[in-house]
Amino acid sequence: MKLASDNTAGASLEILAALSKANEGNVGSYGGDDHSHRLNQRFSDIFEKDVVVFPVVTGTAANSLALASLTPPHGCIFCHELSHIYHDEYGAPEFFTNGARLQPISGESGRITPDQLKALEVRFPPGDAHRVSPTTVSVTQLTEYGTAYSLDDLAAIGDYTKKQKLSLHMDGARFANALIGLGCTPAEMTWKCNVDVLSFGATKNGAIAAEAVIFFNPVQAESFAIRRKRSGHLLSKLRFLSAQLEAYLDNDLWLNNARQANQMANELKTIIDNSGKGTIQFSVDGNMVFTTINKDCQTDLRQAGFEFYDIPEYGKNVVRLVRSFNTTTQDISDFAVVINR
Ligand SMILES: Cc1ncc(COP(=O)(O)O)c(C=O)c1O
């Protein structure tokens, strides 16, 4: 069983069915179809605010193009040192911003704090003739450590960015998992905390390949259409991307999928806790479990067919176990049998 990533799961049947339906007939290209036309309203209803939405195919494109809309080439983006944008995107944000600086910050459990941002003011004084200008902060929700920023954490960061006139980006590749974990509304987790732009992920939670860049401030969205085209991310048959996002939102599929994944991750956590074979490293706020597992037990699990990543950056013998919407209780019981041998 693959516990390595939520990208190992296929797509929800509802999304496959929606694609088949979207295949009917000849429709407008490059966003001239009904699915694409409906997206702004669908997301505006969910976020309780008029938003401007652009579908793209990957999370890296969503993050990089969103950050490029917020950050000039001489700007500086503060982010966590193990954030996807800094650690896993091969310099795409630097490329698409035409050279902006990503300034990594170490932070407990994947989170950065306003105090850390404040401490950096001395090193990056605004208006200094020699240093990049602080312009942007990026947070990941769910974080790369499987933890969630609480609403208070986000509000504190948002207060800080607003006061300092910085833009705030959220990488929400696992937005639904964080939302279910916190039990709050999409509005509370974003623009009510002064988030300017959200990379709203769907791929990991049921889509084939679909992410939405959501602007809460239309002015900041002005250059996005151009950036998307120049980077080769405007799909001619955009209906297939938009149809995935629509089906993802229909009948709360996104929330139900995330609820299932989170519940399975929590059951996995309990099994590990009770087994005495590992120590959970961070709070399990969504669908990812970071835990030590002793080497012999890791070997047993791998021999029994469980696949997972070693994450040495997070500590000795630390592994990452990720659950997805298609994980069943049977999968979890199989894991329990092997770990308790
Ligand atoms: C936190 C985070 N952001 C963004 C992404 C999106 O990556 P991709 O470009 O592979 O879709 C991922 C995928 O692993 C991720 O974990």
Side-chain angles (χ1 to χ4, degrees):
M1 194 216 308
K2 299 203 185 316
L3 299 166
S5 166
D6 29 16
N7 284 327
T8 62
S12 288
L13 295 180
E14 293 87 335
I15 289 183
L16 296 179
L19 281 175
S20 182
K21 198 145 188 294
N23 194 40
E24 288 165 13
N26 289 14
V27 302
S29 52
Y30 296 106
D33 63 282
D34 289 348
H35 300 286
S36 303
H37 285 154
R38 286 193 291 259
L39 280 187
N40 278 353
Q41 193 55 54
R42 285 302 302 273
F43 278 99
S44 297
D45 292 345
I46 283 172
F47 281 89
E48 303 173 66
K49 186 180 184 45
D50 284 344
V51 296
V52 183
V53 179
F54 297 90
V56 292
V57 179
T58 68
T60 300
N63 286 339
S64 306
L65 296 174
L67 288 167
S69 301
L70 301 178
T71 316
H74 60 273
C76 175
I77 301 162
F78 296 113
C79 57
H80 191 273
E81 63 184 351
L82 289 180
S83 61
H84 203 267
I85 59 167
Y86 182 71
H87 197 249
D88 299 295
E89 296 187 354
Y90 225 123
E94 291 93 328
F95 179 75
F96 282 112
T97 55
N98 291 315
R101 163 84 59 81
L102 260 72
Q103 182 63 39
I105 300 175
S106 63
E108 230 177 88
S109 309
R111 305 178 186 98
I112 56 176
T113 66
D115 285 346
Q116 290 176 303
L117 294 166
K118 212 170 165 26
L120 283 164
E121 285 172 16
V122 196
R123 282 180 55 199
F124 296 91
D128 186 284
H130 306 282
R131 318 253 169 97
V132 287
S133 316
T135 48
T136 315
V137 173
S138 179
V139 294
T140 311
Q141 180 78 323
L142 207 62
T143 73
E144 286 77 3
Y145 290 57
T147 57
Y149 285 87
S150 70
L151 292 186
D152 285 346
D153 294 337
L154 288 174
I157 291 177
D159 284 349
Y160 178 83
T161 53
K162 190 168 181 197
K163 197 167 113 248
Q164 298 298 114
K165 299 192 169 45
L166 305 173
S167 300
L168 182 54
H169 165 255
M170 177 180 279
D171 175 352
R174 298 186 178 87
F175 186 82
N177 302 98
L179 194 74
I180 292 293
L182 289 186
C184 63
T185 67
E188 284 169 336
M189 209 166 81
T190 53
W191 62 270
K192 288 193 174 174
C193 296
N194 295 324
V195 171
D196 293 295
V197 183
L198 166 68
S199 302
F200 175 91
T203 308
K204 292 177 189 306
N205 190 37
I208 294 175
E211 316 278 312
V213 178
I214 301 178
F215 286 88
F216 299 104
N217 174 357
V219 174
Q220 288 170 320
E222 277 168 6
S223 67
F224 194 90
I226 299 165
R227 292 177 195 283
R228 178 176 60 168
K229 179 63 183 174
R230 276 171 61 87
S231 62
H233 278 282
L234 175 60
L235 271 66
S236 53
K237 296 188 180 178
L238 194 64
R239 63 168 137 167
F240 292 111
L241 200 43
S242 304
Q244 287 182 68
L245 289 169
E246 269 197 308
Y248 185 63
L249 302 178
D250 282 348
N251 303 314
D252 290 342
L253 178 66
W254 64 302
L255 300 174
N256 295 334
N257 279 359
R259 196 170 290 115
Q260 171 69 9
N262 287 10
Q263 197 182 321
M264 293 298 108
N266 271 292
E267 287 187 19
L268 205 55
K269 171 188 176 295
T270 308
I271 288 166
I272 294 163
D273 272 341
N274 293 343
S275 74
K277 303 275 177 58
T279 308
I280 303 292
Q281 299 295 293
F282 313 114
S283 70
V284 178
D285 296 336
N287 62 327
M288 296 202 284
V289 181
F290 289 82
T291 180
T292 59
I293 296 185
N294 72 50
K295 275 285 174 206
D296 289 345
C297 188
Q298 282 191 33
T299 307
D300 287 349
L301 285 163
R302 286 190 164 114
Q303 277 173 358
F306 292 97
E307 292 176 21
F308 44 85
Y309 289 132
D310 294 315
I311 313 279
E313 299 96 308
Y314 294 66
K316 190 166 171 243
N317 287 346
V318 173
V319 299
R320 184 182 90 155
L321 311 173
V322 189
R323 298 299 49 222
S324 10
F325 67 92
N326 66 352
T327 309
T328 62
T329 354
Q330 184 60 50
D331 297 332
I332 299 293
S333 339
D334 292 347
F335 183 91
V337 169
V338 180
I339 203 169
N340 288 317
R341 254 182 217 156

